[in-house]
Amino acid sequence: FRLADQYYALAIDNVIEVAAMMTLSTIPNAPDALIGITNRHGDALPMLDLRIAFKLEASAPDISTLFIVAQAKTTLVGLVVDEIFQVKYIHNDAIQITQNAGQYITHIISNNNVLYQQINLETLILKYLAPIN
């Protein structure tokens, strides 16, 4: 997926689906990046705006906004991003572990002259939501 002019990735086992924006209910005193909760199949789904989490200028989601439903262990979260791409299968040679790319980034992936930063979903959830199980 893309945020501003940067490209990011999630491990495929973290991705549940891509969905269209739904009505959000706000949460009082929530962190800024936690923009609300929505009803997903009868369950409350917290929604994180990754632009805000990554200290980028926020843009208001609208009905055309897509988001990623992601899961780390038993915790589900909706991730609002600028653009979502198709699943890409990357050879292990193109993936490098990094420890110097910030608290949310675990790997740098090079694919067709584009660099993707792979997000550590567990770290992101721990910062903005209750501890994962």
Side-chain angles (χ1 to χ4, degrees):
F1 61 90
R2 181 182 59 78
L3 292 171
D5 61 351
Q6 299 292 306
Y7 295 91
Y8 297 90
L10 288 168
I12 192 66
D13 56 345
N14 290 135
V15 178
I16 304 299
E17 67 180 341
V18 172
M21 185 53 67
M22 298 180 259
T23 303
L24 294 176
S25 297
T26 59
I27 303 169
N29 299 317
D32 289 345
L34 182 56
I35 60 172
I37 55 172
T38 192
N39 182 340
R40 179 182 176 269
H41 309 301
D43 293 319
L45 179 69
M47 299 290 289
L48 289 179
D49 187 331
L50 289 188
R51 289 185 69 84
I52 298 170
F54 290 3
K55 309 233 184 292
L56 300 170
E57 185 176 329
S59 56
D62 60 31
I63 197 153
S64 67
T65 302
L66 296 177
F67 65 93
I68 301 166
V69 178
Q71 182 173 6
K73 297 188 180 175
T74 62
T75 304
L76 286 174
V77 63
L79 304 174
V80 178
V81 299
D82 291 344
E83 186 176 7
I84 299 171
F85 304 107
Q86 68 186 32
V87 173
K88 295 181 189 285
Y89 296 94
I90 308 296
H91 192 276
N92 283 341
D93 293 347
I95 303 172
Q96 296 178 321
I97 295 174
T98 182
Q99 296 177 357
N100 302 320
Q103 63 181 328
Y104 304 128
I105 307 303
T106 60
H107 297 82
I108 302 295
I109 302 163
S110 178
N111 184 38
N112 295 328
N113 295 320
V114 176
L115 290 178
Y116 296 87
Q117 299 174 64
Q118 184 173 331
I119 292 177
N120 181 334
L121 187 61
E122 288 186 24
T123 302
L124 189 69
I125 287 173
L126 285 172
K127 173 155 182 153
Y128 291 103
L129 304 174
I132 58 177
N133 301 322

